[in-house]
Amino acid sequence: MVVILLKVASFCIWLTIMIVLIIASKSIKESPVNKVKLQIDDDEDIEMFIRGALRKLNEKDRLIIETLPKHRYNYQARLITNRILRKNPSIIIQYPESIITN
Protein backbone atom coordinates (compact mmCIF):
# COMPACT_ATOMS: atom_id res chain seq x y z
CA MET A 1 0.00 0.00 0.00
CA VAL A 2 2.83 2.40 0.85
CA VAL A 3 4.56 1.62 -2.46
CA ILE A 4 1.43 2.51 -4.42
CA LEU A 5 1.06 5.81 -2.54
CA LEU A 6 4.72 6.66 -3.22
CA LYS A 7 4.28 5.89 -6.91
CA VAL A 8 1.14 8.05 -7.11
CA ALA A 9 2.87 10.89 -5.26
CA SER A 10 5.95 10.75 -7.50
CA PHE A 11 3.72 10.66 -10.60
CA CYS A 12 1.84 13.76 -9.37
CA ILE A 13 5.10 15.59 -8.73
CA TRP A 14 6.40 14.60 -12.19
CA LEU A 15 3.13 15.69 -13.82
CA THR A 16 3.18 19.11 -12.13
CA ILE A 17 6.81 19.63 -13.19
CA MET A 18 5.92 18.78 -16.81
CA ILE A 19 2.92 21.12 -16.81
CA VAL A 20 5.01 23.97 -15.39
CA LEU A 21 7.72 23.35 -18.01
CA ILE A 22 5.19 23.36 -20.85
CA ILE A 23 3.63 26.62 -19.65
CA ALA A 24 7.06 28.22 -19.15
CA SER A 25 8.25 27.21 -22.62
CA LYS A 26 5.26 28.89 -24.25
CA SER A 27 5.93 32.18 -22.49
CA ILE A 28 9.54 32.48 -23.76
CA LYS A 29 9.75 35.16 -26.40
CA GLU A 30 12.39 34.97 -29.08
CA SER A 31 14.68 37.91 -29.37
CA PRO A 32 14.43 39.90 -32.60
CA VAL A 33 17.08 39.25 -35.21
CA ASN A 34 18.71 41.91 -37.37
CA LYS A 35 18.90 40.85 -41.00
CA VAL A 36 22.14 41.89 -42.68
CA LYS A 37 22.03 41.60 -46.47
CA LEU A 38 25.20 41.19 -48.48
CA GLN A 39 25.12 41.47 -52.27
CA ILE A 40 27.86 39.62 -54.11
CA ASP A 41 28.44 40.43 -57.76
CA ASP A 42 32.04 39.28 -58.25
CA ASP A 43 32.89 35.58 -58.54
CA GLU A 44 36.48 35.95 -57.43
CA ASP A 45 35.95 37.66 -54.09
CA ILE A 46 32.99 35.69 -52.70
CA GLU A 47 34.89 34.17 -49.79
CA MET A 48 36.58 37.44 -48.88
CA PHE A 49 33.26 39.35 -48.81
CA ILE A 50 31.51 36.68 -46.72
CA ARG A 51 34.33 36.34 -44.19
CA GLY A 52 34.58 40.13 -43.87
CA ALA A 53 30.85 40.39 -43.25
CA LEU A 54 30.95 37.58 -40.68
CA ARG A 55 33.65 39.38 -38.71
CA LYS A 56 31.50 42.52 -38.50
CA LEU A 57 28.30 40.79 -37.33
CA ASN A 58 26.93 41.20 -33.84
CA GLU A 59 25.29 38.47 -31.76
CA LYS A 60 21.76 39.14 -32.99
CA ASP A 61 22.61 39.67 -36.64
CA ARG A 62 21.75 37.16 -39.35
CA LEU A 63 23.63 37.22 -42.64
CA ILE A 64 21.61 36.95 -45.85
CA ILE A 65 23.73 36.62 -48.96
CA GLU A 66 22.17 37.79 -52.20
CA THR A 67 23.99 36.59 -55.29
CA LEU A 68 23.28 36.89 -58.96
CA PRO A 69 21.44 33.99 -60.61
CA LYS A 70 24.59 33.16 -62.58
CA HIS A 71 26.32 32.10 -59.32
CA ARG A 72 23.81 29.29 -58.97
CA TYR A 73 25.44 27.57 -61.93
CA ASN A 74 29.04 28.54 -61.13
CA TYR A 75 30.70 25.44 -59.63
CA GLN A 76 33.48 27.30 -57.80
CA ALA A 77 31.08 29.84 -56.24
CA ARG A 78 28.75 27.05 -55.09
CA LEU A 79 31.69 25.14 -53.61
CA ILE A 80 32.83 28.17 -51.61
CA THR A 81 29.35 29.02 -50.35
CA ASN A 82 28.62 25.39 -49.41
CA ARG A 83 31.86 25.23 -47.40
CA ILE A 84 30.96 28.43 -45.55
CA LEU A 85 27.39 27.23 -44.97
CA ARG A 86 28.68 24.05 -43.36
CA LYS A 87 30.61 26.12 -40.83
CA ASN A 88 27.81 28.72 -40.33
CA PRO A 89 24.37 27.15 -40.83
CA SER A 90 22.61 30.38 -39.85
CA ILE A 91 23.60 32.06 -43.14
CA ILE A 92 20.90 32.28 -45.80
CA ILE A 93 21.71 32.43 -49.51
CA GLN A 94 19.17 34.01 -51.84
CA TYR A 95 19.23 34.05 -55.61
CA PRO A 96 16.98 36.93 -56.68
CA GLU A 97 15.34 36.07 -59.98
CA SER A 98 16.08 38.41 -62.80
CA ILE A 99 13.24 40.60 -63.93
CA ILE A 100 12.12 39.96 -67.49
CA THR A 101 10.77 43.00 -69.27
CA ASN A 102 9.36 43.27 -72.76
Side-chain angles (χ1 to χ4, degrees), residues 82-96:
N82 286 340
R83 183 178 49 196
I84 291 173
L85 283 176
R86 246 183 277 127
K87 293 178 184 176
N88 302 303
S90 63
I91 296 175
I92 298 173
I93 295 182
Q94 292 180 346
Y95 298 99

Side-chain angles (χ1 to χ4, degrees), residues 38 40-52 65 67 71 74 76-78 80-81 84:
L38 175 66
I40 298 176
D41 300 327
D42 190 12
D43 284 345
E44 296 178 8
D45 297 331
I46 290 176
E47 193 168 10
M48 183 183 68
F49 284 132
I50 294 173
R51 294 204 187 278
I65 300 171
T67 62
H71 291 135
N74 184 346
Q76 183 181 5
R78 284 181 47 206
I80 291 170
T81 53
I84 291 173

